[in-house]
Amino acid sequence: MRILLYYLCGVFAAAQLGKLAALSPLMSRELHLGLAAMAALISLLEVCGALLGGVAGRWLPRLGLRRALSLAVLALATGAAAAAFAQDVRALAAARLLESLGYLAIVVAAPVLIARAAEGPRQAAALALWSTFVPVGMALGAWAYANAAGLAGWRPAQALSVVGGVLLWIGLRRLPSDTRSASVDQGRPPGRTGLLLWALVAAFGAYAIAEVGLLALLPSLLTQGGMPLATAGSWTAIAALANVPASAVGAWLLRRHGALSPTIAVGMTLSLLLSGLLFLAVMRDGGAATMQAPLAVAINAASGVFPCLVFALLPLAAGTPERLALASGRLTQFGASGALIGPPLVGAVVERWGWSAAGGLCLVLSALAVPLALLAWRRLAPRAHAGVATPTTARGVATPASIVRREP
C-alpha cells in the first residue's frame, strides 16, 4: 500500500506536465498567449528540479521525506487552484513555479521512500514501477485534463489537480507510522558522493536530453511528413507509454540476474545503443511519417530499459541512507536539466542543419551515456565485495542493508 501510494504521488506530479499541454490551446486563446509563452509555462515545471535538485536531496531529509511528500501534493493542488483564477501570464507563471516546487519534492522524496518500503527482490520491481511514473502520468494527465476542459473549460479542469492533491494528502496522513527502525531524517546533510554517482546521473542526463528532445518534437516531425496532427499526437503518446513494458523487462533482468551481473551492463549498453541507432532512422530529412512513427515507439521501447536499471542501481550508488536522498536529488537535477535542454537544443539543430543532424546528435548523446553508465556499474562491484550489499540479494537488486530501513 505504501509503495502504491508513493507511486501515485509521482503519477500525479507527472500529470501536471500533461495537464498544461492539454489545456494550452484554450488558455492561450483566452489569455492571448503565444506559443513561446505557453511552451515556457509548460517547461517551468522542471525549473526547480534543474536548479535545486541537489539542494532538495540534501535538505528534504531534514524536513522528513513523508512530511515533504505531503506538503508537495498540497503545493500542486494550491498551484492548480491559483492557475484557475489567473488573469495573465505572470500569475500563471507564479502558480506554475509553486507546482514546480511540489514536483521537485515528489520526485526526490518518493523514490527514496519506495526504496525503503521495499526489501530484497521486491525493491527491483518497486523501483522499476517508479521509473514509469513520467510516461504514465503525462498520458493520464493529457487525457483527463483534455476531456475535463472539453466539458467545462480549462479553469474548472484545474479542479482535478486540487481534488487529486487533497486525496493524496489524506492518504499520506493516514499511513501508519513504522517505529521498527529509527529515521535518518534528523541527521546532518550527507557529504560528497563521489565519481560513481556523478557518472550514473550524468548518463541519465544525456539520455533525458535525447529522449525528451524526440518526444517534444515528434508531432512536428510527423506532421511535416504529412500525418494529421491528431494522429501524430496519438503516436507520440504511444511512444511515451512504450517505456512501461520496457521497465518490466528491466525489472525481470534485475530479478533474474542481480544488479551487479554483467547482464545488467550488457542490458544498459544495448538499450542505449539500439535506441541511439534508431534515432538516425526516425529523425531524418525526407522520411516517411508512416515509418518514423512506429520506429519512434521502438526507440522508447528500447531505451526504456535504461532508466529502470538506473533507478534500481541508485540505492547502491548512494551507499548510505543519508546519501540516498542526495542521490535522488542529483538524479532529479540531471533528469530535469535534460528535459529543459533537450527540446530547445534539438530544435535548434533541426532549424540550422536539419532533422538528420538532430538524429546524429541524439545518437552521440546515447553513445556518451554508455561509458558513463558502465563506469558507475563497474565501480559498484568493489562496494559489494567490501560488504556494502547484503548477501541475500544475489538474485534480486543488490540492496544496501542500511538503506532498506523504513521511513517512519
Side-chain angles (χ1 to χ4, degrees):
M1 181 61 186
R2 290 174 184 269
I3 294 173
L4 178 60
L5 186 57
Y6 299 149
Y7 174 71
L8 289 177
C9 288
V11 170
F12 175 61
Q16 310 313 304
L17 285 168
K19 174 184 75 173
L20 218 58
L23 301 182
S24 58
L26 296 176
M27 296 172 66
S28 60
R29 189 180 308 125
E30 179 180 332
L31 299 178
H32 307 289
L33 302 177
L35 182 62
M38 288 307 308
L41 286 172
I42 294 172
S43 66
L44 272 179
L45 195 69
E46 298 278 9
V47 164
C48 287
L51 296 177
L52 304 173
V55 174
R58 212 173 264 276
W59 293 103
L60 283 183
R62 282 195 162 185
L63 175 63
L65 296 178
R66 280 262 300 273
R67 186 179 300 113
L69 203 60
S70 297
L71 293 174
V73 294
L74 288 181
L76 290 175
T78 305
F85 294 97
Q87 299 299 321
D88 55 39
V89 67
R90 288 173 294 185
L92 282 174
R96 196 62 168 170
L97 284 174
L98 180 58
E99 290 182 329
S100 181
L101 284 172
Y103 183 88
L104 167 62
I106 288 174
V107 298
V108 171
V112 180
L113 293 170
I114 288 174
R116 294 179 184 172
E119 295 183 2
R122 290 180 62 228
Q123 193 180 65
L127 291 173
L129 175 68
W130 172 254
S131 70
T132 68
F133 82 96
V134 170
V136 172
M138 286 187 66
L140 181 62
W143 173 81
Y145 290 97
N147 281 277
L151 293 173
W154 72 268
R155 293 184 187 275
Q158 300 280 356
L160 291 178
S161 294
V162 177
V163 173
V166 171
L167 289 177
L168 287 171
W169 178 79
I170 293 172
L172 290 167
R173 296 285 294 179
R174 291 176 66 88
L175 277 181
S177 296
D178 191 340
T179 58
R180 287 177 292 178
S181 59
S183 171
V184 299
D185 291 349
Q186 303 304 319
R188 293 179 299 175
R192 298 173 63 185
T193 54
L195 178 62
L196 190 164
L197 179 60
W198 285 110
L200 189 66
V201 300
F204 187 74
Y207 154 85
I209 292 174
E211 288 297 313
V212 178
L214 169 67
L215 289 175
L217 298 181
L218 185 58
S220 298
L221 173 65
L222 296 179
T223 53
Q224 285 184 19
M227 183 176 287
L229 179 58
T231 306
S234 298
W235 275 109
T236 302
I238 295 170
L241 288 173
N243 271 288
V244 177
S247 295
V249 173
W252 177 82
L253 289 174
L254 288 161
R255 186 174 182 84
R256 182 173 178 82
H257 298 284
L260 300 181
S261 166
T263 303
I264 300 304
V266 173
M268 289 193 296
T269 301
L270 290 178
S271 174
L272 290 167
L273 291 184
L274 178 58
S275 61
L277 291 173
L278 286 172
F279 277 114
L280 296 178
V282 173
M283 304 178 76
R284 63 188 183 90
D285 299 298
T290 53
M291 292 296 296
Q292 291 169 314
L295 287 175
V297 177
I299 286 178
N300 283 272
S303 66
V305 174
F306 176 69
C308 168
L309 300 180
V310 169
F311 277 107
L313 291 174
L314 193 64
L316 271 179
T320 67
E322 293 82 5
R323 289 183 178 180
L324 183 53
L326 176 59
S328 181
R330 293 295 184 204
L331 190 67
T332 297
Q333 188 163 20
F334 275 72
S337 297
L340 282 175
I341 294 170
L345 174 61
V346 176
V349 171
V350 171
E351 287 184 349
R352 187 170 182 85
W353 294 290
W355 287 104
S356 297
L361 171 64
C362 291
L363 171 60
V364 170
L365 289 166
S366 299
L368 176 63
V370 172
L372 293 170
L374 292 180
L375 173 62
W377 173 85
R378 183 66 184 87
R379 283 178 169 255
L380 290 175
R383 284 193 175 196
H385 296 321
V388 175
T390 62
T392 61
T393 56
R395 301 285 298 176
V397 59
T399 306
S402 60
I403 289 179
V404 298
R405 293 184 293 175
R406 297 178 182 269
E407 172 80 1

